[in-house]
Amino acid sequence: MLKPSVLKELKAIVGADNLSTSPEELVVYSYDATQRESLPWAVVRPVSPEEVSRILRLANQELFPVVPRGAGTGMSGGSVPVCGGVVLSFERMNSILEIDEENLLAVVEPGVVTGDLQREVEARGLFYPPDPASHKFCTLGGNVAECAGGLRAVKYGVTKDYVLGLEVVLPTGELIRTGARTVKSVAGYDLTKLIVGSEGTLGVVTKIILKLLPLPESVRTLSAFFPSADQAATAASRIMAGRIIPRALEFVDRGALRAVESHLHEDISGGAEAMLLVEVDGPADLTDREIGKIEELVQKTGASRVVRADTEKDRERIWKARRSISPALYALKPKKMNEDIVVPRSRIAEILREIGDIAKRYELMIVNFGHAGDGNIHTNIMHEAGEAAKAEKAVKEIFAAVLRLGGSISGEHGIGLSKAAYLPMELGQAALDAMQSIKRALDPKGILNPGKIFLNAECGVRNAE
Amino acid sequence: MLKPSVLKELKAIVGADNLSTSPEELVVYSYDATQRESLPWAVVRPVSPEEVSRILRLANQELFPVVPRGAGTGMSGGSVPVCGGVVLSFERMNSILEIDEENLLAVVEPGVVTGDLQREVEARGLFYPPDPASHKFCTLGGNVAECAGGLRAVKYGVTKDYVLGLEVVLPTGELIRTGARTVKSVAGYDLTKLIVGSEGTLGVVTKIILKLLPLPESVRTLSAFFPSADQAATAASRIMAGRIIPRALEFVDRGALRAVESHLHEDISGGAEAMLLVEVDGPADLTDREIGKIEELVQKTGASRVVRADTEKDRERIWKARRSISPALYALKPKKMNEDIVVPRSRIAEILREIGDIAKRYELMIVNFGHAGDGNIHTNIMHEAGEAAKAEKAVKEIFAAVLRLGGSISGEHGIGLSKAAYLPMELGQAALDAMQSIKRALDPKGILNPGKIFLNAECGVRNAE
């Protein structure tokens, strides 16, 4: 708990209106999309890097945890204040500061909603490709903290690939600038990319310089339905091996199809066992040619039906179905563990078979969908309240299979709380030690977002040494 | 100097044939493209990560510096053993281990020459875009250490954008694997991107997983000559603002044109004051359209002559001229300081004017050429033997102007020895401190490549604590 003198100082920094301590307000900042919950001791809403810096200096002096928070849409518990402390909420730092059309970049504050930036730049014929499913709610600060991925990573990469530079308050309160307003810059270590994806444990981002691209001239979309998951996975591999890089290449399995069809009261697939959703972008003559080639290719691989989404309305309809999968799954079972494994794309058919075997062995319903183009599959272990231990065992087996195939236990959700126990499986002790030594170097008192990523992180803060 | 017992242990690790201590051998490993020189105490040529690990453990025990080295083509002194010690040369670890066509990736050892990998993957219809001018000699390990850029960064990014994962021996000898064989992976801090560009100070790379792309179907090249540098810079900005991203967009100023024309005994430019060299790639109908638009645009911006390079022979001829600039400059003056500043591309005309003013004020010949598309300009301060102090003052003024315009003092060469004195101008003390705390965390005894990046780094190694 915070001493009254500390609360007084926090109030002096952000103003009384921007400090919350009442239980009904605190509860709003206690959870994320994992449904994990932990009440903070206070919430502050800073408006400038200087305020953030003063709060962190105070935290180092008085030894309380500080937890940065965007919109709370994270999928691994990154913003859940599991050790209590003070939540730094960025709802007041939500301005698009600049859209530089000549240099194809934008400068934003961390509280800007991703979809708002996308809309603004698209109106100017520009494009910010990273596209997490929560883009209508999530913030760019949160995207940076977790290195959010999304649907378009297969062609365009992830958040990290668009962050040119940052303004960051280090855990000890110093304000630094990293990177530059240029694509090239090699002045010292790449602190930009170290901060991106560090889940709010190495620094608090207060400004972001993002690279933009010209908006593609046209988009073509197609859905293909298959009599087996294996054929769909094979078709996905063949599209990529055919040297076409679609901007989205999504896989949806039987369980997810049935769930979303029942959720939307609509027969989308005609009883198919799996669906691919493919989208290409670029100049119109090129996309017409590519989507034609893809159509031919999926048909040769055994697609029972192929549907082109020719109008914007058709596109919206099919993407709505894709976006509805996650909520629709709750109709199947009351609980789900939502993993986001990633394997080299040629191993997708293999990992799906292994997951099928694991599901059978543990008598669990496991539903798979996601980004076949980049190998990032959302594996949902559906279970009843009493089956958590069994589900966790299955998860561990799935992760072991993923690592055997040269993949990673998290493609885009981050480690946070929910995957910390499994991280040593992927990294090994020496790499974990290296990461933790960096954490200690930048945050000697363990102030910033404690309890995340590393299982052995102490809850609470260290005493001054 | 090394004790005889240490030499004996090194010999036991790599074998007598792979340890050099004779002065005539050591001199070969003493310099890079900066012409800075410093003799190592010994050179070893390891053949496995295990050997590298044993050497580093020995170094930590016996306290001698270890300096990793590729082909010695670096432009900032990164591989010069300025504190002596043992050079780790990767000439025996030079295998392309795998080209995975399905997953569009390659796995290589650090000693592979960049151009060799490019040739191998292109023969399979694949593409490794990073293209440093030294690609025929430089190694991928060196490219990773310095985060090499090159001609195609405007469209395709730099080395960092292609490194999916690494095998690294940490300064203390532990072997770790970072990243994955996938584009997405967020398992803990991004050690991959921290190691890339760390100039051999944070780890020794022993294996590299590189992302590949499909080889573009066609390439179109054009050179345009202008009556003023200002018009050429403006045309470069307009091409990018016209939402065309060429794969190369090179600028060459008057001094560089005259030097290369006299070097090749050929009138390339018809007396022009500046040249742009533009190359687009992609499907043939698209590149034809784009190169047509670019031709129109440069003519509107005042180009006095535009030449299409329609055949492979024409392309070779014009690129040969571009590649000859650097050696040709030595005919102008006996000494050059070769800087590689980068500014937001819309500021190129401005920085060229500022550099012109600085050249006049200091009565120095300054020649500019380079990557206008990404704002990365090679600024060569030509001078006589006695003018080094004056040239250094001019460099400092150029860097100050670059930073005022939102750029960086090094786009692709790295800091190494030659820019360490200027790094604080760009970063400020807090960011420098953060970087050095990371260095100390991973290399507590300061074994690995001491004396680089940070001006106050001690030459030699710390005593055990």
Side-chain angles (χ1 to χ4, degrees):
Chain A
M1 290 309 219
L2 295 170
K3 291 186 287 185
S5 65
V6 171
L7 281 171
K8 205 177 141 190
E9 295 221 43
L10 287 173
K11 200 181 286 182
I13 295 170
V14 295
D17 288 352
N18 299 307
L19 170 70
S20 301
T21 53
S22 72
E24 58 274 28
E25 285 180 289
L26 295 183
V27 77
V28 178
Y29 299 87
S30 67
Y31 59 87
D32 73 355
T34 58
Q35 308 289 341
R36 288 178 191 244
E37 274 183 49
S38 176
L39 279 182
W41 305 338
V43 175
V44 293
R45 290 173 288 274
V47 77
S48 68
E50 290 70 30
E51 288 185 5
V52 173
S53 170
R54 288 174 65 192
I55 294 161
L56 281 167
R57 286 185 200 276
L58 183 65
N60 274 275
Q61 189 185 304
E62 301 289 341
L63 301 178
F64 56 84
V66 174
V67 183
R69 182 184 179 86
T73 58
M75 302 292 268
S76 58
S79 64
V80 176
V82 71
C83 307
V86 173
V87 163
L88 280 184
S89 178
F90 286 94
E91 51 214 275
R92 293 170 71 215
M93 291 178 70
N94 64 348
S95 297
I96 298 174
L97 300 171
E98 192 184 339
I99 295 174
D100 178 343
E101 299 191 39
E102 262 192 300
N103 293 302
L104 301 180
L105 61 87
V107 184
V108 302
E109 289 186 314
V112 171
V113 170
T114 308
D116 289 350
L117 177 71
Q118 288 173 330
R119 214 180 36 246
E120 285 296 323
V121 303
E122 285 173 26
R124 291 163 171 78
L126 297 173
F127 187 36
Y128 176 67
D131 193 35
S134 56
H135 69 274
K136 287 187 185 165
F137 317 100
C138 64
T139 65
L140 289 162
N143 291 176
V144 167
E146 299 294 328
C147 188
L151 298 162
R152 300 171 186 154
V154 51
K155 179 166 181 177
Y156 290 108
V158 297
T159 301
K160 176 177 320 244
D161 300 305
Y162 293 85
V163 182
L164 297 175
L166 295 170
E167 180 184 83
V168 180
V169 181
L170 293 175
T172 41
E174 292 85 1
L175 184 70
I176 66 168
R177 280 173 196 86
T178 73
R181 295 167 73 99
T182 59
V183 172
K184 284 178 172 173
S185 168
V186 288
Y189 302 153
D190 193 342
L191 297 181
T192 307
K193 305 282 201 250
L194 182 64
I195 297 289
V196 178
S198 68
E199 309 197 35
T201 67
L202 295 181
V204 179
V205 171
T206 52
K207 212 168 280 169
I208 310 163
I209 308 176
L210 291 169
K211 182 172 91 165
L212 304 173
L213 295 178
L215 188 64
E217 191 183 300
S218 73
V219 176
R220 298 284 177 270
T221 309
L222 161 163
S223 44
F225 302 91
F226 294 85
S228 76
D230 220 76
Q231 281 162 300
T234 303
S237 281
R238 286 193 187 161
I239 291 168
M240 301 295 296
R243 307 286 155 84
I244 298 171
I245 313 271
R247 84 157 170 187
L249 177 49
E250 297 287 301
F251 166 85
V252 183
D253 83 353
R254 184 181 189 283
L257 277 175
R258 293 301 92 79
V260 79
E261 286 171 332
S262 124
H263 182 77
L264 297 175
H265 306 290
E266 192 183 334
D267 178 7
I268 295 166
S269 70
E273 291 291 301
M275 173 174 96
L276 284 186
L277 185 45
V278 195
E279 193 161 274
V280 293
D281 66 6
D285 44 356
L286 178 65
T287 53
D288 284 338
R289 201 162 62 216
E290 285 187 340
I291 205 80
K293 270 196 213 169
I294 291 168
E295 181 161 4
E296 203 177 306
L297 217 150
V298 296
Q299 267 161 343
K300 272 193 196 157
T301 318
S304 47
R305 196 159 61 97
V306 181
V307 184
R308 295 252 195 131
D310 285 326
T311 65
E312 194 53 33
K313 210 177 134 200
D314 290 344
R315 278 193 64 219
E316 260 315 299
R317 185 169 154 270
I318 194 72
W319 281 112
K320 188 186 165 201
R322 165 64 185 84
R323 280 195 303 268
S324 305
I325 295 173
S326 212
L329 292 181
Y330 280 110
L332 300 176
K333 295 274 179 182
K335 299 259 172 202
K336 64 172 176 178
M337 285 183 190
N338 174 358
E339 303 303 337
D340 78 312
I341 57 167
V342 57
V343 293
R345 61 175 83 90
S346 68
R347 315 310 279 276
I348 290 175
E350 209 169 331
I351 194 70
L352 290 176
R353 279 194 297 269
E354 292 222 33
I355 292 170
D357 292 345
I358 292 165
K360 258 185 222 154
R361 213 157 51 242
Y362 284 96
E363 297 178 334
L364 283 164
M365 177 189 278
I366 302 185
V367 178
N368 300 291
F369 66 95
H371 320 306
D374 53 42
N376 182 205
I377 300 291
H378 296 291
T379 293
N380 296 268
I381 298 95
M382 310 306 303
H383 58 285
E384 312 286 342
E387 297 179 314
K390 191 166 83 169
E392 268 170 34
K393 275 188 200 165
V395 166
K396 202 165 175 182
E397 283 201 34
I398 292 170
F399 286 167
V402 162
L403 296 172
R404 253 194 333 268
L405 296 176
S408 177
I409 64 171
S410 179
E412 57 185 17
H413 290 173
I415 300 302
L417 293 172
S418 50
K419 285 190 207 84
Y422 306 104
L423 189 60
M425 288 176 70
E426 175 161 347
L427 293 182
Q429 199 53 48
L432 269 174
D433 287 347
M435 290 181 188
Q436 287 183 281
S437 76
I438 292 170
K439 169 68 175 171
R440 280 191 303 271
L442 295 182
D443 188 8
K445 294 186 183 169
I447 292 297
L448 201 58
N449 208 4
K452 305 298 164 62
I453 304 178
F454 309 110
L455 192 62
N456 60 346
E458 304 138 45
C459 205
V461 293
R462 271 175 225 114
N463 286 318
E465 270 145 32
Chain B
M1 288 309 217
L2 295 171
K3 291 186 287 185
S5 64
V6 171
L7 281 171
K8 204 176 141 193
E9 294 221 42
L10 287 173
K11 200 182 287 183
I13 296 169
V14 295
D17 288 351
N18 300 306
L19 170 69
S20 302
T21 52
S22 72
E24 57 275 29
E25 286 180 288
L26 296 182
V27 77
V28 178
Y29 299 87
S30 67
Y31 60 88
D32 73 354
T34 57
Q35 308 289 343
R36 288 178 190 242
E37 273 183 50
S38 175
L39 279 182
W41 305 336
V43 175
V44 292
R45 290 173 288 274
V47 77
S48 69
E50 290 69 30
E51 288 185 4
V52 173
S53 169
R54 288 173 65 194
I55 294 161
L56 281 166
R57 287 186 199 277
L58 183 65
N60 274 273
Q61 193 185 303
E62 301 289 340
L63 301 177
F64 56 84
V66 174
V67 183
R69 181 184 180 87
T73 57
M75 303 292 269
S76 58
S79 64
V80 176
V82 71
C83 309
V86 173
V87 163
L88 281 183
S89 178
F90 285 95
E91 55 218 87
R92 293 171 69 214
M93 291 177 71
N94 63 349
S95 297
I96 297 175
L97 300 170
E98 193 184 339
I99 294 175
D100 180 343
E101 299 190 37
E102 263 191 300
N103 294 300
L104 301 181
L105 60 85
V107 184
V108 301
E109 288 185 315
V112 171
V113 170
T114 308
D116 290 348
L117 178 71
Q118 288 174 329
R119 213 180 37 244
E120 285 296 322
V121 305
E122 286 174 24
R124 290 162 171 79
L126 297 173
F127 187 36
Y128 176 68
D131 194 35
S134 56
H135 68 275
K136 287 187 185 165
F137 317 101
C138 64
T139 65
L140 289 160
N143 293 175
V144 166
E146 298 294 326
C147 188
L151 297 162
R152 300 172 186 153
V154 49
K155 179 166 180 177
Y156 289 107
V158 296
T159 301
K160 178 178 316 250
D161 300 304
Y162 293 84
V163 183
L164 297 175
L166 295 170
E167 180 185 83
V168 180
V169 181
L170 293 175
T172 42
E174 291 86 1
L175 184 69
I176 66 168
R177 279 175 197 84
T178 72
R181 296 167 73 98
T182 58
V183 172
K184 284 176 172 174
S185 168
V186 289
Y189 302 152
D190 192 343
L191 296 183
T192 307
K193 305 283 201 244
L194 182 64
I195 297 288
V196 179
S198 68
E199 309 197 33
T201 66
L202 295 182
V204 180
V205 170
T206 53
K207 213 167 278 169
I208 310 164
I209 308 176
L210 291 168
K211 183 171 90 166
L212 303 174
L213 296 178
L215 188 65
E217 191 184 301
S218 72
V219 176
R220 297 284 179 270
T221 309
L222 160 163
S223 44
F225 300 92
F226 294 85
S228 77
D230 220 74
Q231 279 161 300
T234 304
S237 280
R238 286 193 186 160
I239 291 168
M240 301 295 296
R243 306 286 157 84
I244 298 171
I245 312 271
R247 84 157 171 187
L249 178 48
E250 296 287 301
F251 166 85
V252 182
D253 82 353
R254 181 181 191 285
L257 276 175
R258 292 302 92 81
V260 80
E261 285 171 333
S262 122
H263 182 76
L264 298 175
H265 306 289
E266 192 183 334
D267 178 7
I268 296 165
S269 71
E273 290 291 301
M275 171 174 95
L276 283 185
L277 184 46
V278 196
E279 192 162 275
V280 293
D281 67 6
D285 44 357
L286 179 66
T287 53
D288 284 338
R289 202 162 62 218
E290 284 187 342
I291 205 81
K293 270 196 213 168
I294 290 168
E295 180 160 6
E296 202 178 306
L297 218 150
V298 294
Q299 266 161 347
K300 270 194 199 158
T301 318
S304 48
R305 195 159 63 97
V306 182
V307 182
R308 293 250 197 136
D310 285 326
T311 65
E312 194 52 33
K313 208 178 136 200
D314 291 343
R315 276 193 65 221
E316 260 314 297
R317 186 170 154 269
I318 193 74
W319 281 113
K320 187 187 165 199
R322 165 63 185 82
R323 280 194 304 266
S324 305
I325 295 173
S326 212
L329 293 181
Y330 279 112
L332 300 175
K333 294 272 179 183
K335 300 255 170 203
K336 67 172 175 176
M337 284 184 190
N338 174 358
E339 305 302 338
D340 78 310
I341 56 167
V342 56
V343 294
R345 61 175 83 90
S346 69
R347 316 309 279 278
I348 291 175
E350 209 169 330
I351 193 69
L352 289 176
R353 279 195 297 271
E354 292 221 34
I355 292 171
D357 292 346
I358 292 165
K360 257 186 222 151
R361 213 159 50 243
Y362 284 97
E363 297 178 335
L364 283 164
M365 175 188 281
I366 302 185
V367 177
N368 300 291
F369 66 95
H371 319 306
D374 52 42
N376 183 204
I377 300 291
H378 296 293
T379 293
N380 295 269
I381 297 95
M382 310 307 303
H383 57 284
E384 312 284 342
E387 296 180 314
K390 189 165 86 168
E392 267 170 35
K393 276 189 199 163
V395 166
K396 203 166 173 180
E397 283 202 35
I398 292 170
F399 286 166
V402 161
L403 296 171
R404 255 195 331 269
L405 296 176
S408 178
I409 64 170
S410 179
E412 57 185 18
H413 290 174
I415 300 303
L417 294 173
S418 50
K419 285 190 206 83
Y422 306 105
L423 190 59
M425 289 176 69
E426 175 160 347
L427 294 181
Q429 198 54 48
L432 269 175
D433 287 348
M435 289 181 189
Q436 287 184 281
S437 76
I438 292 169
K439 168 68 175 171
R440 280 191 303 270
L442 295 183
D443 187 9
K445 294 186 184 169
I447 293 296
L448 201 57
N449 208 4
K452 305 297 163 64
I453 304 178
F454 308 111
L455 191 61
N456 59 348
E458 306 139 43
C459 204
V461 293
R462 272 174 225 115
N463 286 319
E465 269 147 32

